[in-house]
């Protein structure tokens, strides 16, 4: 099948190869994130569980009863760290939100299924503890980039009552997926990812949100206009799979590659930032 040609898949999904200036972008992230941690009230490396990397960074809201944005970093479930993306927090905190960035263990040490359950634990912890940091546990929105966008979509589909009897059935009412992957089957055939992700057909079925029934909440999906054909396809796929009622917004961000698109969340004048604020009710 041409769609699963190994060289083509590597070209479509290897964003670092597609964006040769990515080291400079990561350096910019690092500097902006350090400034964010210095400039904001913060609680860093708070444990949400006792497993590997089960910590989160909290940027408390200025006022009580604030909406909560939980942002999940990307990196193909095998790279990066919450600290790399603290830079998304300042504009959202200044807009009136509490911001939480969870870490998770990385492939190949653990599976994507294990990571998904770690993020479930991070969300349950956030619901139970948000009020301590000015957050309203009834107003949790999940956002994520790349692999983090996949995890954000998965959180909309979680059976929260099965996680804890104290949790509301709809713990997450809205999600923002930036440059997400919702059909994992191509990744099972992508050479540069195969060794670390070790996806099986059964895991693909269990972990591909595009194959699930539409959840009750709302998802907004966006992708950089300069991203690969496969990332553009994945973005429209989730709207096709879940319908316009569940995915009312499905957009491309002009002049943005896979990494630059995240700057649009941090920029208070940008469309993605406005999208996040709308989901948060700000």
């Amino acid at each position: 099948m041409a769609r699963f040609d190994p060289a083509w898949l590597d070209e479509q999904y290897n964003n670092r190869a597609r964006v040769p200036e990515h080291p400079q972008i990561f350096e910019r992230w690092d500097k902006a994130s350090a400034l964010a941690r210095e400039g904001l009230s913060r609680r860093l490396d708070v444990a949400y569980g006792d497993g590997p990397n089960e910590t989160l960074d909290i940027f408390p809201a200025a006022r009580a009863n604030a909406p909560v944005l939980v942002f999940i970093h990307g990196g193909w479930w095998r790279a990066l760290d919450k600290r790399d993306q603290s830079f998304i927090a300042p504009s959202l905190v200044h807009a009136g939100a509490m911001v939480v960035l969870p870490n998770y263990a990385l492939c190949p040490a653990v599976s994507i299924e294990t990571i998904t359950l770690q993020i479930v634990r991070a969300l349950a912890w956030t619901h139970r503890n948000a009020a301590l940091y000015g957050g309203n546990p009834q107003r949790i929105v999940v956002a994520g980039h790349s692999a983090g966008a996949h995890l954000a979509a998965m959180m909309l589909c979680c059976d929260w009552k099965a996680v804890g009897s104290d949790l509301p059935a709809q713990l997450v009412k809205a999600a923002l997926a930036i440059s997400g992957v919702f059909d994992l089957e191509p990744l099972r055939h992508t050479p540069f990812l195969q060794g670390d992700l070790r996806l099986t057909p059964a895991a693909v079925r269990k972990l591909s949100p595009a194959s699930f029934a539409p959840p009750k909440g709302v998802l907004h999906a966006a992708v950089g206009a300069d991203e690969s054909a496969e990332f553009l396809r994945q973005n429209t796929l989730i709207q096709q799979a879940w319908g316009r009622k569940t995915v009312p917004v499905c957009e491309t961000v002009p002049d943005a590659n896979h990494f630059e698109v995240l700057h649009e969340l941090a920029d208070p004048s940008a469309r993605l930032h406005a999208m996040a604020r709308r989901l948060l009710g700000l």
Side-chain angles (χ1 to χ4, degrees):
M1 183 175 175
R3 183 171 156 233
F4 293 147
D5 172 70
W8 183 79
L9 287 168
D10 266 358
E11 186 266 325
Q12 290 290 305
Y13 284 106
N14 191 337
N15 288 299
R16 295 191 190 198
R18 289 182 66 85
V19 183
E21 68 274 22
H22 72 266
Q24 290 81 12
I25 296 173
F26 288 175
E27 188 179 340
R28 180 180 164 189
W29 288 3
D30 190 52
K31 287 178 179 168
S33 291
L35 286 170
R37 290 191 298 275
E38 285 168 24
L40 293 174
S41 170
R42 65 214 171 272
R43 306 290 183 275
L44 304 179
D45 299 314
V46 177
Y48 67 79
D50 53 13
N53 286 20
E54 291 188 355
T55 61
L56 42 79
D57 291 347
I58 303 162
F59 298 95
R63 287 181 294 280
N65 212 34
V68 181
L69 184 86
V70 178
F71 181 83
I72 308 167
H73 76 79
W76 285 128
W77 307 276
R78 66 177 189 168
L80 301 182
D81 184 275
K82 58 180 168 55
R83 289 174 66 87
D84 298 319
Q85 299 183 350
S86 312
F87 71 88
I88 66 100
S91 61
L92 291 159
V93 170
H94 296 322
M98 167 184 161
V99 176
V100 178
L101 288 94
N103 250 2
Y104 48 88
L106 300 174
C107 301
V110 300
S111 67
I112 298 173
E113 187 173 352
T114 295
I115 292 168
T116 304
L117 293 173
Q118 286 186 299
I119 299 299
V120 166
R121 282 195 287 283
L123 264 293
W125 186 96
T126 300
H127 182 270
R128 290 165 179 150
N129 294 277
L132 298 172
Y133 305 95
N136 181 339
Q138 308 304 321
R139 297 175 69 191
I140 295 174
V141 173
V142 184
H145 174 242
S146 197
H150 161 268
L151 293 166
M154 292 291 284
M155 294 308 105
L156 271 185
C157 304
C158 182
D159 179 1
W160 294 103
K161 283 293 182 191
V163 177
S165 59
D166 61 316
L167 301 176
Q170 219 181 332
L171 190 152
V172 178
K173 296 183 179 72
L176 173 61
I178 305 166
S179 304
V181 281
F182 310 105
D183 165 23
L184 272 50
E185 180 62 15
L187 307 183
R188 193 167 72 84
H189 305 272
T190 302
F192 88 102
L193 293 172
Q194 282 173 320
D196 285 341
L197 304 190
R198 296 174 303 187
L199 283 165
T200 63
V204 165
R205 282 194 298 275
K206 196 181 282 188
L207 295 164
S208 292
S211 67
F212 301 169
K216 280 206 173 86
V218 169
L219 179 81
H220 288 192
V223 65
D226 297 345
E227 299 201 47
S228 71
E230 271 294 273
F231 271 92
L232 294 169
R233 180 188 73 83
Q234 293 268 5
N235 193 61
T236 55
L237 174 67
I238 196 64
Q239 188 181 58
Q240 291 164 356
W242 285 0
R244 289 177 182 271
K245 184 181 173 205
T246 304
V247 189
V249 176
C250 181
E251 297 184 3
T252 55
V253 177
D255 304 316
N257 64 38
H258 186 75
F259 303 109
E260 292 165 338
V261 69
L262 200 46
H263 304 165
E264 302 285 310
L265 180 62
D267 177 356
S269 67
R271 166 87 180 136
L272 262 190
H273 178 86
M275 217 184 279
R277 284 181 64 159
R278 190 183 322 136
L279 289 172
L280 289 160
L282 292 171

